[in-house]
Amino acid sequence: MQILAMSGSIRSESSNARLLRAAAKLAPAGVQFTFYDQQIGTLPLFSPDLDEDGTVAPSAVAEFRRLLAAADAVLICCPEYAHGVPGAFKNGLDWIVSSGELTDKPVALIAASASGAGYARAALTPTLEVMGGKLVFNRSLALTRHYLDAEGNISDPATAAFVRSAVDALVAG
């Protein structure tokens, strides 16, 4: 099984990106992860003019769509900024609204920040659903940096169980 792990943050030391890598360590044998985190910030601003029939998608968008299409499932870990979704991540989703890569694909959403990211989760849920994603896990997590140790492992047992349940939901499909 191939999982595309997407971070909603473009921060170089993002806790969300680190959490995705920790999730990969918790996955059952045979599950492979591809990580898409800071790359989300390289996508051009979405414009319907660049995405009409007969146009060629910008190369960064074409690669993003290719990764999504190749994945069996998608694990999203997204922080909350100003009670919402980070702009670069929402822009990335805008590029795939009409292209269909999420249609009927299992998606696990972990909205994670120190505040619990409830607003980001509330904003992302209908967006992912309207894009055809099959939400198999959709929860918020109060995440602080001390939950991840220097080796990239989840040091809090409850958080590790939470993340493992998201991966298990994707594997179950």
Side-chain angles (χ1 to χ4, degrees):
M1 170 177 241
Q2 181 65 44
I3 294 176
L4 180 63
M6 296 174 53
S7 173
S9 174
I10 60 173
R11 186 176 185 185
S12 61
E13 293 297 320
S14 165
S15 295
N16 284 266
R18 290 180 63 214
L19 190 62
L20 290 169
R21 282 164 175 75
K25 293 178 180 183
L26 299 173
V31 176
Q32 297 179 355
F33 279 70
T34 299
F35 299 97
Y36 194 84
D37 39 48
Q38 290 180 311
Q39 303 96 309
I40 201 96
T42 68
L43 298 174
L45 291 177
F46 174 74
S47 169
D49 293 338
L50 299 175
D51 202 33
E52 294 177 336
D53 287 341
T55 61
V56 176
S59 61
V61 173
E63 176 62 8
F64 178 45
R65 289 175 173 170
R66 185 195 68 74
L67 289 170
L68 279 165
D72 298 308
V74 179
L75 174 59
I76 296 170
C77 193
C78 187
E80 180 175 289
Y81 294 160
H83 284 187
V85 178
F89 190 70
K90 177 60 170 81
N91 179 64
L93 293 179
D94 288 344
W95 276 109
I96 58 170
V97 166
S98 63
S99 58
E101 287 83 9
L102 279 185
T103 302
D104 297 325
K105 193 162 292 211
V107 176
L109 170 61
I110 299 173
S113 70
S115 69
Y119 290 104
R121 180 176 164 259
L124 279 170
T125 298
T127 300
L128 294 168
E129 287 173 340
V130 78
M131 295 169 71
K134 179 182 158 190
L135 283 167
V136 297
F137 188 91
N138 184 3
R139 306 237 333 254
S140 297
L141 172 66
L143 177 69
T144 62
R145 292 185 190 276
H146 76 270
Y147 285 178
L148 299 162
D149 67 23
E151 290 79 40
N153 299 305
I154 300 171
S155 56
D156 176 64
T159 301
F162 178 93
V163 171
R164 188 176 299 110
S165 64
V167 173
D168 290 345
L170 284 176
V171 171

